[in-house]
Amino acid sequence: MNNEVILSVRDLHVKFSLRGQQLHALRGISLDIYKGESLAIVGESGSGKSVFVKNFNGLLDKNGWIDSGHIYYLPKDAEAACCTARPEEKMLAGQYTWDLAALKTDAEWGSIRGKEIAMVMQDPMTSLNPLKTVGWQIEEALHLHQHLYGEAAHKKTIEILDDVGILDPERRYKQYPHEFSGGMRQRAVIAIAIACNPRILICDEPTTALDVTIQAQILSLIKKMKEKYQLTTIYITHDLGVVANVADRIAVLYAGDIVEVGTSREVFYNPQHPYTWALLSSLPQLGVKGEPLYSIKGTPPNLFQTIRGDAFAPRNPYALEVDFEHRPPYFEVSPTHKARTWLLDPRAPKIDPPAQIKHIRSARKPAQGAGKETVKRTGEPLLSVRNMEVAFGNKRKAFVAVKGVSFDIFRGETFGLVGESGSGKTTIGRAIIRINPMTAGEVLFHGKRISGKIPPELDRLVTQKIQMIFQDPMASLNERAKVDYIVSEGLMNVHRKMQPDERQGKVAKALADVGLLPEFAARFPHEFSGGQRQRIGIARSLIMEPEFIIADEPISALDVSIRAQVLNLLSELQKEHGLTYLFIAHDLSVMRFICDRIAVIHKGVIVELADTEKLFEHPLHPYTRSLLSAIPMPDPDAEKNKILEIYDPSIHNYAVDKPCWTEIEDGHYIMANGEELQEYREMLEERPFGQN
């Protein structure tokens, strides 16, 4: 790692004015960022990650300001600094720096944004202008920051599109953002940032909404661009698998303060702060199936109030008395590793980190099966899907989103459906619950057909007994309604004669079942955290006393610690109420922890279905193998050396020998033709002795 400091933050305090009160968002952060490094900033939502980096290019919300502190930056041309931005007493690498904390106007920030420090936002669709072509938006950055025009700008744009892996760049140059897939839009946003020719590239959750395979490609692309354009990269993320892949160093933020900073290997293999222990322990990859995941108890502190002592102390099971009285200083573990915890004081008792953390180096093959009994699949399935087909559009130009899908889900099991965006996962879930009409096939519930036109009595029964938990807890809740109404709306529709007292009692019980207080019923959704909003969505499903719940990406928008809480909650509710789940997700590490069986879907067709451990240990279909190879693991050594398997559908020769859905061994199904079945059987025979 280069020892030349390119940006130095010193004792930075940032405040916001909200509802007549001051929120202390950053509480005296100091951090050096080195030229050419990849720094990852991790922490829960609200910890201050995005606020911290927005100070680097003047993008703080209008209600926020730098209360004190400095951000010293070494620009390409230090002599170009304006007088208000260059305190001559501070030098980096023997050159005068700009103090970004002193910049006030857009005119002053104009020489920094994009040209010196560029940013890739979390949602590429909101970052792109829907009315302009992608090529025009990249060229605009070239005009502003590299002063390229005409043919030179066009040629450079095509080169950048090609660099970021967009195929057929001449054609794509003329297309609009809505014509790009999610992964391609993220590539386009990276292309615009690269066109600015910056020194520092900030990536704010660049892969959160992407599938594991696309995520792996984007991470590989950013690393490639970093080398080609000699960038310093800063990643903001809560996905520790991503961190292990990309980071040279890691800074862990909690309640507006950096509690630990070190190299990637130091933070993963030798973490020192109890908050870092808690984040790592919450990972599904380190969990034991059938046992609760570790989750951080309590909630982050109220930053409207003055924090006394260590901000993490109320949630820290290892807290000492001094933690509640005095803020700990940094203790140096190595020249590159320090942590703000009293446990490192020579006078503190010796406390070993949690046992889960010791398994990080073996996270790819953990003891996943311990303590978990496989659901006995006997008798009739609770729900059956037979030859489901779902198409959109008219008959002349129909898009078939789901083609000939069949599977059974048995009472009490968690059945996983995994695949990339656009594969048809959510479409299947919505077709089961009859939001999306089917064009062919049928769905059976308790052996009765519930698809198509059904009697009103059965319709009411299905509405009650099959519920859905949606991906975005904020978008799925009525922001103008109180929690009491949101949770009980379905109940009022099905049981219209129910008395208010009985209804309120059921609301209170449903809220209690998901760990929320009865008084929360009088609040609005915006008054809750993301994890609490998802609990409200689960309570809304539970109040109907369902047998079957479709959980559509219920944790993809949540932090790692909140994910653990929601996964534990779903498992507890399953045991308590005898629920059956269809769990839809693209995060296979989560699927392995919670699912009994998993079906893998690609472009509307299920290509493989097996017991979870069998699928992970012996994947047969090349698409399944590509998904498994892309799973981000919290192990820097394994992550940096892993080899991605890229799935190419053209490897299948189905011109004459057509594929069919075949049970290749007990409970293990695959979509394959005769030649492929022979190959897969040989793969199974080559398994180590004693493995099924």
Side-chain angles (χ1 to χ4, degrees):
M1 186 174 68
N2 195 322
N3 290 323
E4 180 182 343
V5 177
I6 191 173
L7 189 144
S8 180
V9 181
R10 286 291 169 264
D11 197 27
L12 187 67
H13 290 259
V14 172
K15 294 183 178 180
F16 287 83
S17 178
L18 299 169
R19 298 186 294 275
Q21 293 180 284
Q22 285 191 5
L23 183 144
H24 202 162
L26 299 182
R27 303 180 300 115
I29 288 183
S30 295
L31 181 70
D32 287 337
I33 298 171
Y34 299 96
K35 185 178 180 181
E37 77 165 333
S38 291
L39 172 73
I41 301 173
V42 302
E44 295 171 281
S45 292
S47 61
K49 304 186 298 294
S50 294
V51 169
F52 181 47
V53 298
K54 283 180 178 179
N55 290 286
F56 302 167
N57 49 12
L59 293 178
L60 268 186
D61 185 272
K62 63 180 180 180
N63 295 321
W65 68 92
I66 295 175
D67 195 57
S68 63
H70 302 277
I71 306 169
Y72 298 114
Y73 171 64
L74 183 65
K76 298 174 190 172
D77 182 6
E79 295 303 317
C82 62
C83 59
T84 60
R86 195 182 73 188
E88 300 198 354
E89 70 274 6
K90 177 64 182 178
M91 301 181 73
L92 294 177
Q95 299 183 62
Y96 293 126
T97 61
W98 300 9
D99 184 3
L100 304 185
L103 301 182
K104 303 296 182 185
T105 67
D106 283 339
E108 290 176 321
W109 278 112
S111 55
I112 291 289
R113 288 183 192 136
K115 183 177 181 181
E116 299 280 347
I117 302 174
M119 196 163 184
V120 176
M121 298 294 189
Q122 179 174 350
D123 185 354
M125 198 58 186
T126 57
S127 303
L128 296 169
N129 186 336
L131 303 179
K132 300 291 185 181
T133 65
V134 170
W136 184 93
Q137 295 181 62
I138 297 171
E139 277 199 21
E140 183 186 32
L142 292 172
H143 299 336
L144 290 172
H145 300 290
Q146 296 197 41
H147 305 295
L148 288 178
Y149 300 92
E151 184 58 31
H154 179 82
K155 186 176 179 181
K156 183 67 175 177
T157 300
I158 298 300
E159 178 188 332
I160 293 172
L161 283 169
D162 187 56
D163 280 347
V164 298
I166 292 179
L167 302 178
D168 196 2
E170 285 282 3
R171 181 172 66 89
R172 294 294 188 180
Y173 173 95
K174 302 172 185 177
Q175 292 185 330
Y176 291 85
H178 72 270
E179 298 179 85
F180 280 39
S181 67
M184 286 175 60
R185 284 197 291 265
Q186 194 62 283
R187 290 173 186 268
V189 171
I190 294 170
I192 293 170
I194 296 299
C196 297
N197 195 25
R199 299 190 81 200
I200 297 177
L201 181 65
I202 300 169
C203 302
D204 188 0
E205 300 275 13
T207 61
T208 295
L210 303 178
D211 308 311
V212 286
T213 49
I214 305 300
Q215 174 178 276
Q217 293 171 25
I218 294 297
L219 294 177
S220 176
L221 168 65
I222 293 174
K223 288 194 285 188
K224 177 184 171 185
M225 295 298 99
K226 174 183 178 292
E227 298 303 320
K228 178 169 182 176
Y229 292 95
Q230 298 181 331
L231 299 168
T232 300
T233 51
I234 302 173
Y235 292 87
I236 301 170
T237 182
H238 60 254
D239 190 328
L240 290 164
V242 168
V243 171
N245 181 293
V246 301
D248 299 317
R249 280 197 311 148
I250 298 170
V252 182
L253 247 71
Y254 183 77
D257 191 17
I258 293 177
V259 297
E260 184 164 4
V261 62
T263 66
S264 182
R265 298 184 88 256
E266 287 170 334
V267 172
F268 275 99
Y269 300 146
N270 188 31
Q272 297 295 320
H273 197 283
Y275 179 60
T276 312
W277 295 351
L279 285 179
L280 292 170
S281 299
S282 301
L283 292 169
Q285 294 95 320
L286 303 182
V288 177
K289 205 165 193 174
E291 297 180 9
L293 271 178
Y294 178 88
S295 63
I296 307 175
K297 303 298 185 287
T299 57
N302 184 348
L303 296 180
F304 284 108
Q305 300 174 355
T306 301
I307 294 175
R308 185 177 182 182
D310 184 354
F312 188 58
R315 307 174 73 189
N316 179 9
Y318 312 100
L320 308 173
E321 287 185 16
V322 68
D323 282 309
F324 295 92
E325 298 295 330
H326 301 286
R327 185 186 188 188
Y330 284 115
F331 291 90
E332 188 174 282
V333 183
S334 77
T336 55
H337 188 192
K338 62 182 180 180
R340 195 189 281 279
T341 172
W342 286 114
L343 291 179
L344 291 175
D345 190 290
R347 297 165 292 179
K350 175 66 176 174
I351 295 177
D352 292 326
Q356 298 98 313
I357 296 175
K358 298 175 184 177
H359 298 308
I360 279 181
R361 289 181 183 271
S362 60
R364 192 163 286 276
K365 287 186 178 295
Q368 289 280 338
K372 174 71 173 179
E373 290 186 12
T374 303
V375 174
K376 295 179 176 60
R377 293 184 285 276
T378 57
E380 289 291 321
L382 178 67
L383 184 132
S384 297
V385 173
R386 294 285 176 265
N387 299 313
M388 176 187 284
E389 181 177 295
V390 180
F392 298 99
N394 54 44
K395 292 183 179 179
R396 292 181 57 193
K397 197 175 181 181
F399 168 69
V400 181
V402 176
K403 311 166 191 173
V405 164
S406 298
F407 56 83
D408 293 323
I409 301 177
F410 292 84
R411 183 182 296 279
E413 79 169 331
T414 300
F415 183 90
L417 193 56
V418 65
E420 296 172 299
S421 292
S423 61
K425 308 185 299 295
T426 298
T427 301
I428 290 173
R430 287 172 174 264
I432 290 172
I433 208 167
R434 297 177 305 128
I435 295 174
N436 292 338
M438 293 166 51
T439 50
E442 62 180 2
V443 177
L444 305 176
F445 184 62
H446 283 297
K448 296 180 180 179
R449 182 179 61 82
I450 60 169
S451 52
K453 191 173 182 179
I454 58 176
E457 299 79 16
L458 182 57
D459 183 46
R460 281 194 296 273
L461 180 68
V462 171
T463 301
Q464 178 184 344
K465 294 299 182 182
I466 303 180
Q467 291 291 306
M468 193 164 189
I469 302 169
F470 295 93
Q471 177 175 355
D472 186 342
M474 195 59 189
S476 64
L477 301 178
N478 184 345
E479 61 185 25
R480 296 186 178 185
K482 292 183 178 180
V483 168
D484 174 73
Y485 178 83
I486 291 170
V487 172
S488 64
E489 183 179 11
L491 204 61
M492 289 187 288
N493 288 331
V494 175
H495 302 287
R496 297 181 180 179
K497 295 182 180 180
M498 183 177 288
Q499 295 300 311
D501 288 348
E502 184 182 357
R503 181 183 61 80
Q504 289 170 5
K506 287 183 175 292
V507 169
K509 183 180 185 305
L511 292 176
D513 283 344
V514 298
L516 296 177
L517 298 173
E519 54 263 34
F520 287 0
R523 298 185 185 179
F524 291 92
H526 71 267
E527 298 179 75
F528 296 92
S529 67
Q532 288 174 322
R533 286 196 291 264
Q534 193 60 286
R535 287 170 183 261
I536 293 168
I538 296 171
R540 177 175 58 184
S541 299
L542 282 181
I543 202 169
M544 302 299 292
E545 299 180 359
E547 293 181 59
F548 181 68
I549 291 180
I550 301 166
D552 185 10
E553 300 271 16
I555 59 170
S556 63
L558 305 177
D559 295 322
V560 62
S561 55
I562 307 299
R563 284 185 186 186
Q565 293 176 17
V566 173
L567 287 174
N568 289 341
L569 173 63
L570 291 173
S571 296
E572 290 165 11
L573 293 173
Q574 185 172 41
K575 293 173 185 174
E576 183 180 343
H577 297 278
L579 297 172
T580 303
Y581 292 128
L582 169 59
F583 199 93
I584 298 170
H586 62 254
D587 188 335
L588 277 159
S589 61
V590 170
M591 299 290 260
R592 184 172 193 177
F593 177 78
I594 200 169
C595 293
D596 300 295
R597 290 187 299 150
I598 295 176
V600 179
I601 185 168
H602 179 255
K603 292 189 175 179
V605 176
I606 292 181
V607 296
E608 190 164 5
L609 190 163
D611 289 344
T612 298
E613 285 311 301
K614 187 174 287 186
L615 192 77
F616 272 79
E617 294 295 335
H618 304 291
L620 297 178
H621 198 279
Y623 179 63
T624 307
R625 296 200 298 270
S626 75
L627 288 180
L628 294 176
S629 74
I631 298 174
M633 303 302 296
D635 180 347
D637 290 347
E639 191 66 20
K640 286 183 169 67
N641 295 318
K642 78 177 182 182
I643 299 173
L644 288 175
E645 293 190 33
I646 306 299
Y647 176 58
D648 181 5
S650 66
I651 63 172
H652 304 291
N653 183 10
Y654 293 154
V656 177
D657 190 3
K658 301 294 184 183
C660 62
W661 189 236
T662 305
E663 187 174 17
I664 196 167
E665 59 176 343
D666 184 31
H668 193 166
Y669 297 83
I670 195 160
M671 181 66 72
N673 63 15
E675 182 181 350
E676 290 172 335
L677 284 172
Q678 181 60 35
E679 178 187 342
Y680 297 150
R681 288 192 176 103
E682 291 172 1
M683 290 170 62
L684 291 174
E685 289 171 2
E686 292 171 1
R687 287 181 300 201
F689 179 75
Q691 289 193 20
N692 293 319

